[in-house]
Amino acid sequence: MALELKPSYFLTKTAFYFQNPQSPIPNTAFPPLLPRRKTAYFPDTSFSLRKTSFRAVSAVLETNETPLADQLAPPVRIVALVGDGSVSPLKCAPWVEVMLHTAQRLKWVDEGFEMLVFTDNLHQSNADAVETLKMELGRADVMVIVAVTTQESVEWVQANCENIPNIICFDSSPALVNKLGGSYVHTETKGDVFGKIAGIYQKEANESAEVVKTVSEAWQRCNSDDIRFCILVIINAYIRPVPILKNLRAKGFSTLSCMVSKCGPQILNCLLDPDCRKALQCLNNCSPVDQVCNYRCIASYESPNLEAFSLCVLQKNNCLGLDAKVPEKPYVPPMAKFRGGDLCHETAEDLFVGWLGCLDWSWRVVAGQNPAYDQFPCQYQLFYRGKAKGSFWYEPVFQVKTLEGKVVWRRRRYRVKRGKVPGTFYFSVLDNGVVSNEFWTIVDVPDDLSWGLFHYNGAARAAGQSYSGAVLVSPDGAYPNEKESRRLLSALEECGIKEWEMFTVNNSSCRDPPLGIPDGSSLHKMIQVKEH
């Protein structure tokens, strides 16, 4: 199952208003764009520096076609300086590897985002390497400092980075000072990303405070999406607009007018329903960009009134005026052959059906890339052919431990249609009142069906959310054995995903899942599945 977060942003804003009726609908954590932005043209010269630098190569894009104005915009230059030998909290992956991958993922958003990654072992580098770093710092719009703690490195940064307009420091020496929009942001609390703000003037302070709050919260969530998001927030606020962040801005009074005039009964019913009201209150306490928090609120308190609320406000009337499209990229090619033959549509559907028939489910999810959904334990997948000719369905079943401590099961129902290429599919679902459309690819499944990797791109248009990711599945929810590791890593590479980005699903204590499929459904057509 792909991430279903669509109503969360809107509900957060609505909850705030109805708890504070005298207050205007608030802005999100993104400040107004500053009037001064760099417009200088930087020549696109390439370079490489073994082990200490990297020019990201475009692999895949998460956004749709780039507008002409953005294509003509000057590149955004970013330099990342990483503590030599430092280890990240992402399954202990080296920080340098995480930041190199972030450089690639920035390219998926915009080809003009150029990030070079260096380690801070400057005392071991030759003179040419150090000069190259100085040259890149001289034209950098943003500097990202990660896990730099040695006194020698700190002093080098202080001496050579004074003219960079935006500097953000993470998990580094408190002696390193952050700067946003050319103004210093001082820290007073050790251990926080930025800490408390002092010493900057009022307008700049207010704008910087919002950026600091957003970036700090995102970094502390410790996943690859939010690490990239931190950099995008800085670019959006101080350099030039980032289109994929546009939908996170509130629309003002027109939103409230639309809600009240077109969805008054649904709003009233929600506020009178304890679960729906709790959902709004819960969402109000989440950052709009904290997907884990938002989706846990929705999964904990979902109800018919919550669905009717978001169906009216978002899906039917689009009161927020949002729009999002299923990303065309990354395009991940489907597997071409199975058991020695070319993959056809019927066989591809059979691979989704998987173990259903031998077992009570098609697959169990081992791990996924999305922290918002993969926080939930005991994920089962049910794929089956429906009664109607050519119909195909997908029903994920997963467990939720609600915020009140209850353990409940949730289930969704997707309609599935074949893509043009065998092994590709179009999914659609109504989840909590909002329609999501997704494009799925069967990336790889071994002949014995011991595991599978499925990739997806998706969007909830009315909620302004687009996303992509992958799920690793197996018949029993266990990780593939070591002899399959090379093949699995190759499949993940096809998706532009690192193994350390995957979140392992807790598949223990999965008692009495509400499985089963409708009477009259059918399963495999082309392949035979034998139980181990």
Side-chain angles (χ1 to χ4, degrees):
M1 176 182 174
L3 172 65
E4 302 301 332
L5 294 179
K6 282 61 71 174
S8 59
Y9 163 73
F10 170 75
L11 295 177
T12 302
K13 299 303 159 198
T14 307
F16 180 93
Y17 178 79
F18 282 104
Q19 289 179 25
N20 305 272
Q22 301 303 317
S23 302
I25 295 179
N27 290 325
T28 66
F30 304 100
L33 295 172
L34 298 185
R36 296 182 181 178
R37 302 186 185 92
K38 280 199 172 183
T39 56
Y41 173 74
F42 297 107
D44 189 14
T45 55
S46 62
F47 82 99
S48 62
L49 184 60
R50 185 188 299 263
K51 295 184 180 180
T52 60
S53 69
F54 173 77
R55 171 79 61 184
V57 179
S58 173
V60 287
L61 290 168
E62 279 187 341
T63 56
N64 297 301
E65 186 174 344
T66 306
L68 180 61
D70 293 334
Q71 294 176 12
L72 299 177
V76 176
R77 305 285 186 180
I78 308 152
V79 172
L81 186 65
V82 179
D84 188 36
S86 59
V87 176
S88 78
L90 284 73
K91 296 185 178 178
C92 296
W95 264 123
V96 66
E97 181 181 341
V98 173
M99 297 308 292
L100 288 173
H101 188 56
T102 302
Q104 181 186 18
R105 288 176 57 101
L106 285 169
K107 284 289 191 180
W108 304 352
V109 177
D110 191 316
E111 286 286 340
F113 296 165
E114 298 279 354
M115 185 165 87
L116 305 176
V117 180
F118 297 81
T119 54
D120 71 340
N121 55 345
L122 302 172
H123 61 286
Q124 297 178 356
S125 302
N126 59 45
D128 290 341
V130 175
E131 286 304 312
T132 298
L133 174 56
K134 288 182 178 179
M135 178 188 71
E136 295 299 332
L137 290 173
R139 59 179 186 168
D141 300 288
V142 181
M143 184 178 187
V144 182
I145 301 173
V146 181
V148 172
T149 58
T150 65
Q151 184 64 28
E152 184 178 11
S153 296
V154 169
E155 292 175 356
W156 192 95
V157 169
Q158 291 171 335
N160 292 278
C161 302
E162 184 176 353
N163 295 325
I164 300 174
N166 301 289
I167 301 174
I168 50 176
C169 307
F170 301 108
D171 305 331
S172 296
S173 168
L176 292 172
V177 181
N178 301 281
K179 187 193 295 186
L180 294 174
S183 298
Y184 285 104
V185 181
H186 299 284
T187 58
E188 294 181 355
T189 306
K190 187 176 180 181
D192 194 359
V193 176
F194 287 112
K196 298 179 180 179
I197 300 174
I200 47 181
Y201 296 103
Q202 187 170 2
K203 181 180 178 181
E204 289 80 4
N206 292 338
E207 294 170 340
S208 295
E210 296 291 350
V211 175
V212 165
K213 181 176 184 294
T214 301
V215 171
S216 177
E217 290 175 349
W219 184 267
Q220 291 169 8
R221 292 195 285 270
C222 297
N223 66 72
S224 59
D225 287 343
D226 282 311
I227 290 171
R228 181 186 62 173
F229 176 76
C230 290
I231 300 172
L232 294 178
V233 169
I234 302 298
I235 295 171
N236 185 66
Y238 298 103
I239 303 171
R240 60 179 167 91
V242 177
I244 64 172
L245 300 187
K246 67 180 180 180
N247 285 333
L248 296 177
R249 296 182 183 275
K251 302 298 181 181
F253 183 78
S254 61
T255 297
L256 179 60
S257 176
C258 173
M259 290 163 47
V260 173
S261 63
K262 297 182 178 180
C263 302
Q266 290 82 1
I267 293 173
L268 181 61
N269 289 339
C270 182
L271 295 177
L272 293 176
D273 177 354
D275 283 336
C276 194
R277 188 170 62 250
K278 286 177 183 178
L280 297 186
Q281 293 169 341
C282 179
L283 289 162
N284 190 50
N285 293 324
C286 296
S287 165
V289 294
D290 185 349
Q291 297 181 345
V292 174
C293 181
N294 281 311
Y295 196 56
R296 193 175 182 198
C297 290
I298 293 170
S300 292
Y301 299 115
E302 63 181 53
S303 67
N305 282 324
L306 180 63
E307 181 173 352
F309 177 92
S310 54
L311 180 66
C312 181
V313 174
L314 286 174
Q315 192 62 44
K316 291 184 177 180
N317 295 294
N318 194 16
C319 287
L320 277 179
L322 300 177
D323 187 30
K325 297 179 180 178
V326 177
E328 295 180 2
K329 299 179 180 179
Y331 177 77
V332 179
M335 60 187 295
K337 292 184 177 293
F338 180 74
R339 294 181 179 174
D342 292 340
L343 189 70
C344 64
H345 290 292
E346 289 79 9
T347 300
E349 289 174 347
D350 283 358
L351 293 180
F352 268 153
V353 174
W355 291 90
L356 189 58
C358 295
L359 302 172
D360 292 332
W361 53 84
S362 297
W363 299 95
R364 297 187 68 178
V365 178
V366 179
Q369 193 201 11
N370 200 310
Y373 181 67
D374 298 315
Q375 64 176 304
F376 299 121
C378 303
Q379 298 182 30
Y380 295 83
Q381 294 186 327
L382 299 169
F383 288 93
Y384 58 91
R385 292 177 166 88
K387 292 181 182 180
K389 184 178 179 180
S391 64
F392 196 76
W393 300 91
Y394 165 50
E395 298 196 31
V397 177
F398 57 101
Q399 194 180 86
V400 175
K401 185 175 182 180
T402 71
L403 294 166
E404 295 179 345
K406 300 177 183 177
V407 175
V408 297
W409 289 96
R410 302 300 189 200
R411 184 165 178 158
R412 309 286 186 252
R413 191 167 193 248
Y414 290 72
R415 182 185 297 275
V416 182
K417 295 185 178 181
R418 296 173 180 176
K420 291 182 179 180
V421 179
T424 64
F425 297 86
Y426 295 97
F427 286 43
S428 62
V429 65
L430 179 66
D431 185 0
N432 285 287
V434 177
V435 173
S436 291
N437 293 298
E438 301 174 356
F439 181 74
W440 282 57
T441 299
I442 298 178
V443 185
D444 200 2
V445 179
D447 289 351
D448 63 357
L449 274 69
S450 57
W451 59 273
L453 184 68
F454 309 144
H455 182 270
Y456 57 84
N457 289 327
R461 180 176 182 179
Q465 293 279 350
S466 59
Y467 47 90
S468 63
V471 287
L472 172 65
V473 298
S474 71
D476 58 1
Y479 213 85
N481 59 42
E482 285 191 18
K483 70 178 183 179
E484 294 289 328
S485 61
R486 181 174 296 181
R487 181 169 177 174
L488 173 58
L489 290 176
S490 177
L492 288 170
E493 192 68 27
E494 289 284 340
C495 304
I497 295 173
K498 300 294 185 182
E499 191 174 21
W500 45 260
E501 291 184 273
M502 302 290 280
F503 295 85
T504 302
V505 173
N506 181 357
N507 282 312
S508 62
S509 303
C510 303
R511 295 180 180 178
D512 302 321
L515 303 175
I517 59 176
D519 291 339
S521 304
S522 59
L523 304 178
H524 303 90
K525 281 188 176 180
M526 304 292 292
I527 67 174
Q528 292 184 346
V529 180
K530 296 180 180 180
E531 193 169 1
H532 289 295

